[in-house]
Amino acid sequence: MNEEQMIVKDALELVAASGTTGVLKSKLLSTLRTVDGQRLSPEQEASIFSTLVGRGWIVGHIEPVWHNTRWCLTVKGSEALSQMS
């Protein structure tokens, strides 16, 4: 597994841990780290998030009160995560 795949797996695990409440994109991306513990560059953040959304592994929904978009794991994302373990 290469570094990007490991980061995607970490992201899926974090989104899964958020349950049906979901996680804010900014909080998710700020939590992710490279293998050596460094923050992701903006390009890496965009690439990782694009992979998660593009493959249908996460889906966003709008909070009714604050109108923030929160991201939750899809069934497809859950299956992908289980295959990565």
Side-chain angles (χ1 to χ4, degrees):
M1 189 179 294
N2 67 30
E3 183 176 50
E4 184 172 345
Q5 291 169 333
M6 291 171 55
I7 296 169
V8 166
K9 181 179 181 239
D10 289 346
L12 288 173
E13 289 172 344
L14 289 167
V15 175
S18 72
T20 58
T21 302
V23 63
L24 296 172
K25 177 182 176 182
S26 59
K27 299 291 184 188
L28 172 64
L29 295 176
S30 69
T31 304
L32 298 174
R33 298 285 184 254
T34 62
V35 174
D36 62 354
Q38 300 297 312
R39 281 211 49 180
L40 301 182
S41 69
E43 294 81 18
Q44 288 173 308
E45 288 180 351
S47 175
I48 297 298
F49 196 76
S50 175
T51 298
L52 296 171
V53 173
R55 294 189 181 194
W57 291 345
I58 62 172
V59 65
H61 68 275
I62 305 293
E63 289 179 312
V65 175
W66 302 109
H67 304 288
N68 293 318
T69 302
R70 290 191 165 269
W71 297 89
C72 295
L73 199 63
T74 63
V75 171
K76 197 173 178 181
S78 180
E79 291 169 355
L81 180 56
S82 68
Q83 292 175 4
M84 290 178 191
S85 298

